């Protein structure tokens, strides 16, 4: 499966060291203004080589839209796009041709298909996610017309945790630093940790928090296609994402119900909840409050130091990885989390409203 969504549907193609990566977006509502500058801005947020704490691979990641746009607006027909690869160092992976990198997809991919592209992971590489950022940018353009916004930020790196709630910060400040954390002081500590880990040839993980505002009541289904289930599936499909929760989630599941229920109140004739422990979703359906969630990302599995492994002949050996790798995926994962969330919300909006906003 290479597709996401039911009505708003993205299908991706391409490999890390192939000619290009791209995709086809189906179900984009007609008449949506297409902001090409915004699209390229979103790509720049995910682009490699953007700071000292990301991979050194240099790619411009210029998107070429091939169809589905006329006079600056979507036509309602499939939008095809591609992004050419231009800075592959495939030789860096020659020593990995017959080895299985620990905690990578090398072994499972080979066992499933009997063949794999060892150059940068091939199809299992995180480079595939640039197609998701394109789809997410288009979804954001459609959501703008409905007053819905999607924002994510780095809330934890290693043992450094952003204190308080997302409500305590101006989330736009996340784009003012390389880590994409909305608090400058915490961001500086996070960046220092990533650089220290990188100098040791090691990696570090953490958490990205997402916030969706302006979602109307009624998105999602009570059994299959629960809104939180589709959000969770989308996030867990991102490379290196190992966990998902929403609302207070795991952090407060040991507390009592009397502390956690969201009581209903009426304000100006509108029913709302006095608190938002539920994270904007109840019974699988949005309740009109902010949807907030967290994604746990593991430390990158490629270490720039010697690690023991085995080869395809079942012989023990030692791998010394070469190439350009992220010491921490979180800064570049932020726009991917936003993209997946935007596509899920738009898909559910279209499921409710049919195929015209």
């Amino acid at each position: 499966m290479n597709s996401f969504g039911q009505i708003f549907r993205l299908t991706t193609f391409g490999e890390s060291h192939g000619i290009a990566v791209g995709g086809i977006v189906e179900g984009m509502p007609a008449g949506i203004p297409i902001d090409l500058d915004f699209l390229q801005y979103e790509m720049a947020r995910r682009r490699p080589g953007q700071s000292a704490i990301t991979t050194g691979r240099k790619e411009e990641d210029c998107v070429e839209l091939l169809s589905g746009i006329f006079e600056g607006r979507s036509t309602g027909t499939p939008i095809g796009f591609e992004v050419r690869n231009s800075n592959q160092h495939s030789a860096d992976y020659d020593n990995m041709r017959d080895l299985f990198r620990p905690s990578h997809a090398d072994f499972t991919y080979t066992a499933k298909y009997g063949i794999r592209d060892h150059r940068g992971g091939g199809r299992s590489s995180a480079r595939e996610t640039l197609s998701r950022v394109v789809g997410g940018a288009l979804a954001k353009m459609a959501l703008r017309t409905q007053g819905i916004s999607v924002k994510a930020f780095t809330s934890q790196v290693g043992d450094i945790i952003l204190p308080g709630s997302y409500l305590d910060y101006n989330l736009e400040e996340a784009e003012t630093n390389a880590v994409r954390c909305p608090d400058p002081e915490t961001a500086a500590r996070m960046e220092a940790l990533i650089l220290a880990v990188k100098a040791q040839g090691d990696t570090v993980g953490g958490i990205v928090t997402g916030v969706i505002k302006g979602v109307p009541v009624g998105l999602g289904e009570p059994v299959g296609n629960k809104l939180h289930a589709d959000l969770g599936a989308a996030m867990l499909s991102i490379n290196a994402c190992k966990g998902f929760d929403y609302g207070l989630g795991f952090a407060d599941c040991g507390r009592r119900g009397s502390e956690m229920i969201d009581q209903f109140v009426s304000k100006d004739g509108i029913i709302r909840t006095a608190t938002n422990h539920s994270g904007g979703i109840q019974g699988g359906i949005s309740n009109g409050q902010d949807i907030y969630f967290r994604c746990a990302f593991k430390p990158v599995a490629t270490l720039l130091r010697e690690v023991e492994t085995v080869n395809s002949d079942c012989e023990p050996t030692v791998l010394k990885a070469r190439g350009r790798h992220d010491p921490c995926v979180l800064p570049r994962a932020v726009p991917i989390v936003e993209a997946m969330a935007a596509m899920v919300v738009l898909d559910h909006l279209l499921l409710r409203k049919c195929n015209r906003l």
Side-chain angles (χ1 to χ4, degrees):
M1 294 295 295
N2 298 286
S3 301
F4 303 93
Q6 298 179 74
I7 295 181
F8 185 88
R9 188 172 181 84
L10 168 69
T11 301
T12 76
F13 68 83
E15 294 82 33
S16 176
H17 286 239
I19 295 172
V21 178
I24 297 175
V25 171
E26 299 176 90
M28 180 70 171
I32 301 298
I34 302 301
D35 186 340
L36 297 179
D37 290 337
F38 174 72
L39 174 57
Q40 202 57 54
Y41 167 76
E42 292 290 271
M43 293 296 288
R45 296 173 67 212
R46 195 219 72 96
R47 185 176 61 201
Q50 60 186 266
S51 75
I53 59 173
T54 63
T55 173
R57 181 171 176 169
K58 299 291 184 181
E59 294 279 4
E60 292 302 317
D61 286 350
C62 294
V63 184
E64 183 179 5
L65 298 179
L66 306 175
S67 62
I69 311 295
F70 180 69
E71 295 184 342
R73 292 180 178 270
S74 59
T75 62
T77 58
I79 299 175
F81 64 89
E82 72 171 16
V83 178
R84 290 273 171 162
N85 295 325
S86 62
N87 191 231
Q88 309 99 312
H89 288 183
S90 298
D92 288 341
Y93 297 88
D94 285 348
N95 67 326
M96 303 180 190
R97 178 182 291 273
D98 298 314
L99 303 182
F100 297 127
R101 294 172 296 170
S103 295
H104 278 274
D106 297 349
F107 172 72
T108 52
Y109 200 104
T110 302
K112 181 177 178 66
Y113 295 105
I115 186 174
R116 71 178 171 97
D117 183 349
H118 66 282
R119 305 166 303 168
R123 183 65 177 157
S124 62
S125 167
R127 185 142 180 81
E128 179 270 343
T129 60
L130 68 80
S131 297
R132 309 188 194 198
V133 173
V134 176
L138 293 170
K140 285 182 179 181
M141 294 175 201
L143 292 178
R144 281 179 189 170
T145 68
Q146 302 300 297
I148 300 171
S149 66
V150 182
K151 188 66 182 173
F153 57 93
T154 300
S155 55
Q156 180 174 342
V157 174
D159 59 357
I160 300 174
I161 302 173
L162 179 69
S165 160
Y166 74 90
L167 295 169
D168 299 326
Y169 300 96
N170 175 6
L171 301 188
E172 298 302 322
E173 291 293 317
E175 292 301 313
T176 64
N177 58 75
V179 186
R180 295 199 163 91
C181 173
D183 178 57
E185 181 180 347
T186 306
R189 294 171 57 215
M190 290 175 171
E191 183 169 357
L193 175 59
I194 295 172
L195 290 172
V197 166
K198 179 181 179 181
Q200 299 166 1
D202 213 335
T203 62
V204 66
I207 293 175
V208 171
T209 295
V211 181
I212 313 171
K213 293 179 174 287
V215 178
V217 179
L219 299 193
E221 303 293 333
V223 183
N225 295 126
K226 293 174 184 276
L227 182 56
H228 63 267
D230 284 354
L231 279 171
M235 299 308 152
L236 291 169
S237 75
I238 301 172
N239 308 59
C241 184
K242 291 296 185 179
F244 170 85
D245 71 0
Y246 71 102
L248 292 186
F250 289 109
D252 289 278
C253 62
R255 296 172 67 176
R256 299 193 178 189
S258 56
E259 301 176 278
M260 303 303 296
I261 60 171
D262 291 317
Q263 293 185 339
F264 288 107
V265 296
S266 176
K267 184 175 181 181
D268 300 325
I270 299 174
I271 297 176
R272 302 179 62 86
T273 56
T275 54
N276 190 20
H277 303 313
S278 301
I281 303 172
Q282 294 170 327
I285 302 170
S286 61
N287 66 5
Q289 307 303 304
D290 290 350
I291 296 173
Y292 62 95
F293 58 90
R294 304 189 307 163
C295 304
F297 285 86
K298 71 173 184 176
V300 176
T302 300
L303 309 181
L304 295 181
R305 57 169 69 174
E306 291 187 349
V307 294
E308 295 181 355
T309 186
V310 299
N311 61 26
S312 55
D313 294 322
C314 300
E315 300 168 336
T317 186
V318 174
L319 168 65
K320 177 62 187 295
R322 299 193 297 264
R324 302 155 297 175
H325 306 280
D326 288 287
C328 178
V329 300
L330 296 168
R332 295 177 61 213
V334 165
I336 303 168
V337 167
E338 290 181 8
M340 297 306 293
M343 287 191 286
V344 169
V345 171
L346 179 58
D347 193 36
H348 274 272
L349 197 64
L350 293 172
L351 283 167
R352 194 185 74 165
K353 291 189 173 183
C354 200
N355 201 31
R356 187 179 180 92
L357 295 183

